Amino acid sequence: AEYKALILGLKGARALGFDQLDVYLDSELLVNQINGSYKVKNENLKVLMQEVRSLLSSFKSVQVKHVLRCHNRQADKMANLAIDMNQKIP
């Protein structure tokens, strides 16, 4: 879910014309994978990470940072809603 929410957010930011982003994620694992501290071992996630990296490279500047889950509840609800809405669209 975290990968899909990030991909949707990056696509949305690109579509709106943003070229610089600060991305805050409550998944420390995903932040470390994006920043290269951790490797992506799961084959399915590797495909998603390739898409994330491709999208990230389309921006002039991107910083990806970790935020504690307890400080991110509203954003998490919104991300889940966006994923649910996107899955209903053919």
Side-chain angles (χ1 to χ4, degrees), residues 3 7 9 13 19 27-28 31 35 41 43-44 47 50 53 56 61 64 66 78 80 87:
Y3 277 90
I7 289 167
D19 66 350
S27 169
E28 190 173 4
V31 170
N35 290 330
K41 296 178 182 178
E43 291 301 320
N44 295 327
V47 173
Q50 287 175 344
R53 292 200 188 285
L56 290 173
S61 168
V64 180
H66 178 251
M78 292 170 64
N80 286 327
Q87 289 175 350

Side-chain angles (χ1 to χ4, degrees), residues 27-87:
S27 169
E28 190 173 4
L29 174 64
L30 183 53
V31 170
N32 284 319
Q33 288 173 334
I34 291 169
N35 290 330
S37 299
Y38 296 169
K39 290 183 179 181
V40 179
K41 296 178 182 178
N42 180 290
E43 291 301 320
N44 295 327
L45 295 181
K46 284 182 181 181
V47 173
L48 293 172
M49 181 56 79
Q50 287 175 344
E51 187 172 0
V52 167
R53 292 200 188 285
S54 175
L55 287 164
L56 290 173
S57 70
S58 70
F59 294 93
K60 184 178 178 181
S61 168
V62 179
Q63 293 208 10
V64 180
K65 301 174 185 176
H66 178 251
V67 62
L68 294 176
R69 190 159 281 146
C70 64
H71 298 296
N72 202 38
R73 285 195 177 102
Q74 184 63 28
D76 193 47
K77 285 179 189 177
M78 292 170 64
N80 286 327
L81 179 62
I83 289 170
D84 292 343
M85 289 174 61
N86 188 60
Q87 289 175 350

